[in-house]
Amino acid sequence: MQLVRALGRRWHMLLAGIVMTWCLVAAVDNLRHAGTPRHPIAELESQFAALIPHLPPHGEVGFLEHHDMPASEDAVRTWYTAQYALSPRIIVGRHGTEFLIAAHGNAHPAGDARLDGYVPVHTGPGGHQIYRRFLP
Amino acid sequence: MIGLVGAIVLPSVAVWAALRAWQPDWVSRSPIVRAVVATCLGLGASGLTSFWVVAAGGQFDRTFVALDLIFWASLAVVPFGFMRRRRASLDAGPPATQTANATRVAWWLKAAFCGIAALSIGGAIVGYGASPHGDWDAWAIWNQKARFLLRAGEAWAQGLTIGWSQPGHPLLLPSSVARLWAYSGEEATLAPALVGMMFGGAAVAVVIATLGPQRPRAWIGGAVLLAPGVFPREWTAQQADIPFAFFMVTSLAMLVRAQSTRGRDRHASLLLCGAAAGMAAWTKNEGLVLVGVTAVIASATALRGGHGREAFWWLGGAVPGLATLAWFKLVFAPDAPYYLPDSPLPALLEQRFFSDHVGTVNSAIWQRLLAWGGPWAPGAMLATGVLALAAAFTPSGSAARSIVIAIATMASAYYAVYVLTALDVTWLIATTFDRLLVQLWPSVVLAAFLITRHEPARVTQAA
């Protein structure tokens, strides 16, 4: 710090100018990249929210996990978004519940045994389906 | 929109009025800074009271809004009756010598800072437009809990049965957001985004106010604070790290102020230090570490001044937040955080230190530390941290020392978790490290720019 004082006021101004210029350039670059979404879920959230009128107001609702990659980031994001949109229902990652949500692409395209005993009751925007347990 | 504004303004006015009635120059002489800080302290305080209501069986309905409005309006009115003119008695340091050259430089710096601040605010607005629901933890944890608080009524605690939503996380942010939604009558994504932006801006204001707005260092420090892209980007991530960063830097700034004042101003500073630390603990679990370290430093400050009982002012400020946290943990969410180890500590330490685990942690941390700050500010935390350490070791660096001790304690706690966790540590560091540094960043900048601090003159209690 004594060294900096020794440089005198002119050098203080130069140093301040360099630092502020750097901060300004960084701020401009930050603004340029600010519009890049990292986890865009707005559309997915609205698609799941559209299912609300067709679900019970509370309680557990089953969620059919992705048939092939249930732990992938996309699959987990879809499940978490469903929970976020459909709160205060509890979205559980299992079948056997009265109502079951099959997000678009989660069921096996050649037929999914996990849907045995269920009938589709509603298809919402985005192709997400609500199944209800069939009671003979 | 009117409801949203009213929900923010009412507790802010109450906090501002109460503190002004007690000590007109709390935080800063600048009315703008006091208003900004009061807004965030008001959000924190209303986040506490809102939780008390729902924990006692209430709901975020119209009755709540009416009672909450009456409560804060009453609190806002009462202090005005006790306000009186007080002679301004405190500044962060000796008055700056004003010369023609210094005035031009100061104005130029202020203008540059305003440009940088405008760009940062613009970036926050653009970021909100791109991701109105915020980042991952916003919709997986914080805003999801807010929806449970608002939508589920008395059954809000069912949201705490969702294991992956971190039920043990404190509820200051969700309860604050749910309260704003209750006032506005809709679940506007603008509400949590606005909360993040206000806390982020307030953290910058606290740093500038503490460094002294009449000094160039304050505006340079404010600009450096905004330079790393990760900091303003987190403003609209709608997560709890920015509110935590505000409460941490405010608590430490008040601690620094308490160390250089006497009488009523010291009492007010210690009270605010404790209050901010308590709110930090009610925001995130790591706030308990901040509570511990500020308790120790505040007690040492009081004892060194010969008035040990002054530490009770800190305690008085911290009690509401700590009591709320204890209530929540004991009644609603007794489970330990997911990242803490569940094996016996001695065996775990032996296992960790005789394996490659520590090396893996150190390597991952070092890589992210060097990159933290973005393409134009890589290594910003490292460089500023070195400056903060240098400030702490200067003869007049007592203020910086206190802040550095707190930062070092927090960083050590984070490191201990990384070393001891049973989770995949590479994944844990990748998903948490940047945000943990965001929590510390305003305090690191504050300590670093105190390197030019002159020891303030001791003041006696105002007549």
Side-chain angles (χ1 to χ4, degrees):
Chain A
M1 204 56 229
Q2 288 181 346
L3 175 64
V4 173
R5 289 199 185 101
L7 292 176
R9 183 173 182 75
R10 189 179 303 173
W11 290 103
H12 289 174
M13 291 173 60
L14 180 62
L15 188 62
I18 291 172
V19 171
M20 295 304 273
T21 302
W22 161 68
C23 291
L24 198 58
V25 171
V28 170
D29 189 65
N30 295 339
L31 178 59
R32 281 181 54 232
H33 293 98
T36 306
R38 285 177 294 179
H39 296 290
I41 64 153
E43 185 177 354
L44 191 60
E45 193 270 347
S46 64
Q47 290 171 356
F48 281 120
L51 303 178
I52 288 175
H54 306 277
L55 291 169
H58 51 77
E60 289 189 345
V61 176
F63 188 82
L64 195 73
E65 293 184 279
H66 194 276
H67 64 92
D68 187 35
M69 295 180 294
S72 69
E73 184 174 306
D74 281 344
V76 173
R77 181 190 298 115
T78 302
W79 178 9
Y80 287 11
T81 305
Q83 175 64 75
Y84 173 61
L86 301 174
S87 299
R89 300 154 195 84
I90 306 294
I91 310 302
V92 293
R94 57 181 172 85
H95 52 288
T97 51
E98 178 70 19
F99 288 88
L100 179 72
I101 294 172
H104 178 67
N106 277 16
H108 198 287
D112 200 315
R114 295 173 296 172
L115 293 174
D116 291 347
Y118 282 92
V119 292
V121 295
H122 179 74
T123 300
H128 310 304
Q129 290 185 298
I130 298 175
Y131 285 78
R132 189 166 186 174
R133 197 165 54 182
F134 175 72
L135 297 174
Chain B
M1 192 66 182
I2 294 176
L4 180 61
V5 172
I8 294 171
V9 167
L10 274 174
S12 310
V13 171
V15 168
W16 174 87
L19 289 171
R20 194 183 183 286
W22 187 13
Q23 177 51 264
D25 288 336
W26 64 278
V27 179
S28 166
R29 286 180 174 174
S30 166
I32 297 176
V33 171
R34 288 203 297 271
V36 167
V37 174
T39 298
C40 292
L41 290 177
L43 278 173
S46 60
L48 283 173
T49 57
S50 299
F51 175 75
W52 297 345
V53 171
V54 294
Q59 301 180 38
F60 282 100
D61 52 14
R62 290 183 180 179
T63 305
F64 163 82
V65 172
L67 294 176
D68 189 79
L69 192 150
I70 293 171
F71 175 73
W72 288 109
S74 302
L75 280 187
V77 166
V78 169
F80 281 101
F82 293 93
M83 275 189 199
R84 60 185 186 277
R85 282 189 173 275
R86 294 178 65 89
R87 182 172 56 88
S89 61
L90 189 65
D91 193 352
T97 302
Q98 290 292 328
T99 64
N101 281 341
T103 301
R104 282 201 296 272
V105 169
W107 278 109
W108 168 75
L109 282 173
K110 286 181 181 178
F113 169 80
C114 288
I116 292 165
L119 289 168
S120 298
I121 292 171
I125 294 172
V126 170
Y128 166 67
S131 298
H133 293 278
D135 212 338
W136 186 288
D137 280 2
W139 36 270
I141 300 175
W142 307 108
N143 291 341
Q144 179 177 223
K145 291 182 180 180
R147 285 189 170 185
F148 267 93
L149 284 167
L150 183 71
R151 296 180 180 182
E154 294 178 359
W156 67 269
Q158 287 184 0
L160 303 180
T161 63
I162 304 171
W164 52 258
S165 190
Q166 313 311 337
H169 280 17
L171 295 181
L172 184 141
L173 186 58
S175 60
S176 297
V177 171
R179 176 178 170 275
L180 297 181
W181 283 342
Y183 266 79
S184 61
E186 58 176 342
E187 295 176 9
T189 55
L190 180 62
L194 209 54
V195 168
M197 283 191 268
M198 284 189 295
F199 274 111
V204 178
V206 167
V207 170
I208 291 175
T210 308
L211 291 173
Q214 73 279 16
R215 290 188 171 80
R217 69 176 186 184
W219 304 99
I220 300 173
V224 169
L225 184 55
L226 292 170
V230 63
F231 181 65
R233 191 170 64 234
E234 280 295 313
W235 292 9
T236 49
Q238 301 181 28
Q239 298 172 147
D241 303 287
I242 290 296
F244 185 90
F246 165 79
F247 288 127
M248 179 173 174
V249 74
T250 300
S251 182
L252 296 178
M254 291 298 100
L255 198 59
V256 164
R257 193 174 173 93
Q259 291 173 339
S260 60
T261 56
R262 288 290 184 270
R264 183 185 289 264
D265 205 11
R266 168 173 279 193
H267 301 162
S269 299
L270 286 171
L271 184 81
L272 282 174
C273 174
M279 288 184 194
W282 183 228
T283 302
K284 295 202 80 178
N285 287 311
E286 47 264 44
L288 284 173
V289 181
L290 180 67
V291 166
V293 69
T294 55
V296 169
I297 299 176
S299 300
T301 300
L303 286 169
R304 201 165 52 229
H307 300 283
R309 285 183 294 180
E310 287 182 333
F312 285 102
W313 286 104
W314 177 94
L315 185 63
V319 159
L322 292 179
T324 306
L325 181 67
W327 184 6
F328 172 71
K329 291 289 188 180
L330 292 173
V331 176
F332 298 103
D335 295 336
Y338 70 105
Y339 45 77
L340 291 182
D342 49 11
S343 302
L345 192 58
L348 197 59
L349 285 170
E350 183 179 354
Q351 178 196 29
R352 291 285 188 259
F353 283 99
F354 285 98
S355 68
D356 292 335
H357 183 82
V358 174
T360 302
V361 171
N362 293 342
S363 173
I365 285 177
W366 183 246
Q367 288 177 6
R368 295 202 79 94
L369 188 60
L370 289 177
W372 192 90
W376 281 96
M381 176 63 81
L382 200 58
T384 313
V386 169
L387 200 59
L389 275 175
F393 284 103
T394 57
S396 59
S398 61
R401 266 195 295 278
S402 299
I403 299 175
V404 166
I405 288 171
I407 294 169
T409 306
M410 297 290 299
S412 299
Y414 300 158
Y415 182 76
V417 169
Y418 285 143
V419 168
L420 297 175
T421 186
L423 300 175
D424 176 358
V425 71
T426 305
W427 167 83
L428 187 64
I429 291 174
T431 55
T432 61
F433 187 75
D434 288 356
R435 291 185 292 109
L436 293 181
L437 290 195
V438 166
Q439 296 177 4
L440 305 180
W441 179 235
S443 304
V444 173
V445 171
L446 177 61
F449 280 83
L450 285 172
I451 196 170
T452 63
R453 178 186 176 89
H454 299 283
E455 280 297 325
R458 300 288 181 185
V459 291
T460 56
Q461 187 170 358

Short mmCIF file of all heavy atoms in Angstrom, two decimals, chain B residues 98-123:
data_model
loop_
_atom_site.label_atom_id
_atom_site.label_comp_id
_atom_site.label_asym_id
_atom_site.label_seq_id
_atom_site.Cartn_x
_atom_site.Cartn_y
_atom_site.Cartn_z
N GLN B 98 -11.54 17.68 -0.17
CA GLN B 98 -12.09 17.96 -1.49
C GLN B 98 -11.22 18.97 -2.21
O GLN B 98 -11.00 20.07 -1.75
CB GLN B 98 -13.51 18.51 -1.37
CG GLN B 98 -14.51 17.49 -0.89
CD GLN B 98 -14.74 16.39 -1.94
OE1 GLN B 98 -14.68 16.63 -3.12
NE2 GLN B 98 -14.99 15.18 -1.46
N THR B 99 -10.66 18.60 -3.31
CA THR B 99 -9.96 19.52 -4.19
C THR B 99 -10.67 19.50 -5.53
O THR B 99 -11.48 18.62 -5.79
CB THR B 99 -8.50 19.11 -4.40
OG1 THR B 99 -8.51 17.84 -5.06
CG2 THR B 99 -7.77 18.98 -3.07
N ALA B 100 -10.35 20.43 -6.36
CA ALA B 100 -10.99 20.47 -7.67
C ALA B 100 -10.73 19.19 -8.43
O ALA B 100 -11.62 18.60 -9.03
CB ALA B 100 -10.49 21.68 -8.44
N ASN B 101 -9.48 18.72 -8.42
CA ASN B 101 -9.16 17.47 -9.13
C ASN B 101 -9.92 16.30 -8.55
O ASN B 101 -10.43 15.46 -9.26
CB ASN B 101 -7.66 17.20 -9.06
CG ASN B 101 -6.92 18.06 -10.07
OD1 ASN B 101 -7.51 18.56 -11.02
ND2 ASN B 101 -5.64 18.23 -9.86
N ALA B 102 -9.99 16.21 -7.19
CA ALA B 102 -10.67 15.08 -6.56
C ALA B 102 -12.14 15.10 -6.94
O ALA B 102 -12.75 14.07 -7.17
CB ALA B 102 -10.49 15.16 -5.05
N THR B 103 -12.77 16.27 -6.98
CA THR B 103 -14.19 16.35 -7.33
C THR B 103 -14.42 15.79 -8.73
O THR B 103 -15.34 15.04 -8.98
CB THR B 103 -14.67 17.79 -7.23
OG1 THR B 103 -14.46 18.25 -5.89
CG2 THR B 103 -16.15 17.88 -7.55
N ARG B 104 -13.55 16.19 -9.71
CA ARG B 104 -13.74 15.70 -11.07
C ARG B 104 -13.58 14.19 -11.13
O ARG B 104 -14.35 13.50 -11.78
CB ARG B 104 -12.74 16.38 -12.01
CG ARG B 104 -13.14 17.80 -12.39
CD ARG B 104 -12.43 18.20 -13.67
NE ARG B 104 -10.99 18.25 -13.49
CZ ARG B 104 -10.33 19.33 -13.07
NH1 ARG B 104 -10.98 20.43 -12.78
NH2 ARG B 104 -9.02 19.31 -12.93
N VAL B 105 -12.58 13.68 -10.49
CA VAL B 105 -12.37 12.23 -10.50
C VAL B 105 -13.56 11.54 -9.88
O VAL B 105 -14.08 10.56 -10.39
CB VAL B 105 -11.07 11.86 -9.77
CG1 VAL B 105 -11.02 10.35 -9.55
CG2 VAL B 105 -9.87 12.34 -10.56
N ALA B 106 -14.03 12.02 -8.74
CA ALA B 106 -15.15 11.38 -8.05
C ALA B 106 -16.38 11.36 -8.96
O ALA B 106 -17.05 10.34 -9.05
CB ALA B 106 -15.44 12.08 -6.75
N TRP B 107 -16.66 12.49 -9.63
CA TRP B 107 -17.82 12.53 -10.50
C TRP B 107 -17.66 11.58 -11.68
O TRP B 107 -18.61 10.91 -12.11
CB TRP B 107 -18.09 13.95 -10.99
CG TRP B 107 -18.85 14.77 -9.99
CD1 TRP B 107 -18.39 15.79 -9.24
CD2 TRP B 107 -20.21 14.57 -9.62
NE1 TRP B 107 -19.38 16.27 -8.41
CE2 TRP B 107 -20.51 15.53 -8.62
CE3 TRP B 107 -21.21 13.69 -10.01
CZ2 TRP B 107 -21.76 15.64 -8.04
CZ3 TRP B 107 -22.46 13.80 -9.43
CH2 TRP B 107 -22.73 14.75 -8.45
N TRP B 108 -16.47 11.51 -12.21
CA TRP B 108 -16.22 10.61 -13.32
C TRP B 108 -16.41 9.15 -12.90
O TRP B 108 -17.00 8.34 -13.61
CB TRP B 108 -14.78 10.85 -13.83
CG TRP B 108 -14.31 9.81 -14.78
CD1 TRP B 108 -14.67 9.66 -16.07
CD2 TRP B 108 -13.39 8.77 -14.50
NE1 TRP B 108 -14.03 8.58 -16.63
CE2 TRP B 108 -13.23 8.01 -15.68
CE3 TRP B 108 -12.66 8.39 -13.36
CZ2 TRP B 108 -12.39 6.92 -15.76
CZ3 TRP B 108 -11.83 7.29 -13.45
CH2 TRP B 108 -11.70 6.57 -14.64
N LEU B 109 -15.91 8.84 -11.69
CA LEU B 109 -16.06 7.48 -11.18
C LEU B 109 -17.54 7.16 -10.95
O LEU B 109 -17.99 6.06 -11.25
CB LEU B 109 -15.28 7.32 -9.88
CG LEU B 109 -13.77 7.15 -10.02
CD1 LEU B 109 -13.11 7.17 -8.66
CD2 LEU B 109 -13.46 5.86 -10.75
N LYS B 110 -18.27 8.13 -10.38
CA LYS B 110 -19.69 7.89 -10.13
C LYS B 110 -20.42 7.65 -11.45
O LYS B 110 -21.27 6.76 -11.54
CB LYS B 110 -20.30 9.08 -9.40
CG LYS B 110 -19.92 9.20 -7.94
CD LYS B 110 -20.60 10.40 -7.31
CE LYS B 110 -20.23 10.53 -5.84
NZ LYS B 110 -20.85 11.73 -5.22
N ALA B 111 -20.09 8.44 -12.46
CA ALA B 111 -20.74 8.26 -13.76
C ALA B 111 -20.42 6.90 -14.35
O ALA B 111 -21.29 6.22 -14.90
CB ALA B 111 -20.30 9.37 -14.72
N ALA B 112 -19.15 6.49 -14.26
CA ALA B 112 -18.77 5.17 -14.78
C ALA B 112 -19.51 4.07 -14.02
O ALA B 112 -20.00 3.10 -14.61
CB ALA B 112 -17.26 4.97 -14.67
N PHE B 113 -19.57 4.23 -12.69
CA PHE B 113 -20.28 3.22 -11.91
C PHE B 113 -21.75 3.16 -12.31
O PHE B 113 -22.32 2.07 -12.44
CB PHE B 113 -20.18 3.51 -10.41
CG PHE B 113 -21.10 2.65 -9.59
CD1 PHE B 113 -20.76 1.34 -9.29
CD2 PHE B 113 -22.34 3.11 -9.18
CE1 PHE B 113 -21.61 0.52 -8.57
CE2 PHE B 113 -23.21 2.30 -8.46
CZ PHE B 113 -22.84 1.00 -8.16
N CYS B 114 -22.38 4.32 -12.50
CA CYS B 114 -23.79 4.33 -12.89
C CYS B 114 -23.98 3.63 -14.22
O CYS B 114 -24.97 2.91 -14.41
CB CYS B 114 -24.30 5.77 -12.95
SG CYS B 114 -24.49 6.54 -11.32
N GLY B 115 -23.05 3.82 -15.15
CA GLY B 115 -23.14 3.11 -16.42
C GLY B 115 -23.03 1.61 -16.23
O GLY B 115 -23.80 0.83 -16.82
N ILE B 116 -22.10 1.19 -15.40
CA ILE B 116 -21.93 -0.25 -15.13
C ILE B 116 -23.17 -0.81 -14.42
O ILE B 116 -23.64 -1.91 -14.74
CB ILE B 116 -20.66 -0.47 -14.29
CG1 ILE B 116 -19.43 -0.14 -15.13
CG2 ILE B 116 -20.58 -1.90 -13.77
CD1 ILE B 116 -18.16 0.01 -14.32
N ALA B 117 -23.70 -0.04 -13.48
CA ALA B 117 -24.90 -0.48 -12.77
C ALA B 117 -26.09 -0.60 -13.72
O ALA B 117 -26.87 -1.55 -13.63
CB ALA B 117 -25.22 0.48 -11.63
N ALA B 118 -26.22 0.37 -14.62
CA ALA B 118 -27.32 0.33 -15.59
C ALA B 118 -27.19 -0.90 -16.48
O ALA B 118 -28.19 -1.56 -16.79
CB ALA B 118 -27.32 1.60 -16.43
N LEU B 119 -25.97 -1.22 -16.92
CA LEU B 119 -25.76 -2.41 -17.74
C LEU B 119 -26.11 -3.68 -16.96
O LEU B 119 -26.71 -4.62 -17.49
CB LEU B 119 -24.31 -2.47 -18.21
CG LEU B 119 -23.91 -1.45 -19.27
CD1 LEU B 119 -22.39 -1.43 -19.43
CD2 LEU B 119 -24.58 -1.76 -20.61
N SER B 120 -25.76 -3.70 -15.67
CA SER B 120 -26.04 -4.88 -14.84
C SER B 120 -27.55 -5.04 -14.63
O SER B 120 -28.07 -6.16 -14.70
CB SER B 120 -25.33 -4.77 -13.50
OG SER B 120 -23.93 -4.73 -13.67
N ILE B 121 -28.22 -3.92 -14.38
CA ILE B 121 -29.68 -3.98 -14.22
C ILE B 121 -30.33 -4.40 -15.52
O ILE B 121 -31.25 -5.22 -15.54
CB ILE B 121 -30.21 -2.63 -13.73
CG1 ILE B 121 -29.73 -2.35 -12.30
CG2 ILE B 121 -31.74 -2.59 -13.79
CD1 ILE B 121 -30.02 -0.96 -11.80
N GLY B 122 -29.82 -3.87 -16.63
CA GLY B 122 -30.33 -4.29 -17.94
C GLY B 122 -30.13 -5.77 -18.16
O GLY B 122 -31.02 -6.47 -18.66
N GLY B 123 -28.97 -6.28 -17.77
CA GLY B 123 -28.71 -7.71 -17.91
C GLY B 123 -29.65 -8.54 -17.05
O GLY B 123 -30.11 -9.60 -17.48
#
